[in-house]
Amino acid sequence: EAQVTQNPRYLITVTGKKLTVTCSQNMNHEYMSWYRQDPGLGLRQIYYSMNVEVTDKGDVPEGYKVSRKEKRNFPLILESPSPNQTSLYFCASSLSGRGTGEKLFFGSGTQLSVL
Amino acid sequence: RKEVEQDPGPFNVPEGATVAFNCTYSNSASQSFFWYRQDCRKEPKLLMSVYSSGNEDGRFTAQLNRASQYISLLIRDSKLSDSATYLCVVKKGAQKLVFGQGTRLTINP
């Protein structure tokens, strides 16, 4: 089944403790992206990647890191999480990211709480 | 001004009613437009792309008005299962998608 797999689904952590949220897709998509969703603000892009070893900042990259060593995986790293990073996170992928009608496939989300 | 603006609602309508939402965008160079549907705290899913000529998919009709820079979504004969948040999405430049904050719709029996 074609899908984007995100883990974990829920994560509670404390300020400053490094964490990684994993994202993997099995559709051979070139484009992958991370979003955070907060009430009243919609989805905001954190980082995106057009292909292996190519990553770029989105609108809210501060406090986050990503890597794209393999096409299928795009982990999101919080080196020193803070309470303002408490949010619902989504990973997404699409075929190339360039197509005008391209569909974004989303993972099921990670609800992160930083205490 | 936000790049993509939607009325957050909530819209509460009776089953069988017709409901419409608009979404305005600020970048006149935007080329691609979409409506995504998101059920409570779940992942967004593409509902439909919005074409210049307008398009229809069953009970759903999407329209684009470039002159006034808005897109619309019309739902006819609404069902209980249409209750969700509808996200307006605008493609800005070659790769960037900008999401509206969403319009929450509840269909009442």
Side-chain angles (χ1 to χ4, degrees):
Chain A
E1 182 191 351
Q3 59 185 0
V4 178
T5 304
Q6 229 181 291
N7 279 298
R9 181 72 180 90
Y10 299 95
L11 181 56
I12 301 173
T13 190
V14 295
T15 300
K17 186 175 180 183
K18 181 179 177 179
L19 65 92
T20 300
V21 184
T22 63
C23 175
S24 179
Q25 49 90 7
N26 63 0
M27 296 168 278
N28 203 35
H29 284 173
E30 289 185 355
Y31 180 88
M32 297 187 75
S33 182
W34 276 102
Y35 296 87
R36 61 177 288 174
Q37 187 173 32
D38 302 288
L41 296 176
L43 278 95
R44 294 178 293 167
Q45 191 177 49
I46 303 170
Y47 270 93
Y48 66 95
S49 170
M50 296 300 291
N51 214 325
V52 176
E53 302 291 3
V54 180
T55 62
D56 275 299
K57 294 178 180 178
D59 296 314
V60 288
E62 295 77 22
Y64 305 95
K65 282 174 59 176
V66 292
S67 68
R68 188 91 183 272
K69 294 190 173 70
E70 307 161 285
K71 201 170 188 179
R72 61 182 292 129
N73 295 324
F74 191 46
L76 179 69
I77 302 153
L78 284 72
E79 296 269 4
S80 183
S82 61
N84 64 11
Q85 293 178 298
T86 292
S87 187
L88 177 60
Y89 291 85
F90 289 104
C91 178
S93 73
S94 68
L95 192 59
S96 72
R98 297 182 192 89
T100 55
E102 265 190 28
K103 177 179 173 181
L104 260 184
F105 292 79
F106 283 86
S108 53
T110 296
Q111 178 62 59
L112 172 64
S113 296
V114 183
L115 307 176
Chain B
R1 183 187 173 189
K2 290 182 184 176
E3 291 186 83
V4 177
E5 289 203 70
Q6 295 182 252
D7 183 341
F11 286 67
N12 292 285
V13 301
E15 193 175 7
T18 295
V19 60
F21 337 115
N22 282 350
C23 161
T24 58
Y25 60 95
S26 61
N27 187 344
S28 60
S30 300
Q31 293 296 318
S32 303
F33 309 88
F34 311 90
W35 284 103
Y36 277 72
R37 172 196 166 123
Q38 184 177 25
D39 294 303
C40 187
R41 307 298 280 174
K42 294 195 174 176
E43 72 272 23
K45 293 182 179 174
L46 180 65
L47 178 65
M48 56 200 306
S49 301
V50 186
Y51 304 121
S52 296
S53 54
N55 49 307
E56 191 173 308
D57 182 3
R59 297 180 294 106
F60 297 83
T61 300
Q63 298 274 352
L64 167 63
N65 185 318
R66 285 193 185 274
S68 301
Q69 293 181 208
Y70 73 85
I71 67 173
S72 63
L73 178 67
L74 180 82
I75 306 174
R76 286 183 299 278
D77 186 24
S78 52
K79 313 289 184 193
L80 297 178
S81 57
D82 294 333
S83 297
T85 295
Y86 291 85
L87 306 174
C88 170
V89 185
V90 175
K91 191 159 193 176
K92 172 181 165 184
Q95 298 122 14
K96 187 174 174 58
L97 291 175
V98 182
F99 286 76
Q101 66 170 330
T103 296
R104 203 168 95 213
L105 173 66
T106 300
I107 307 298
N108 301 308

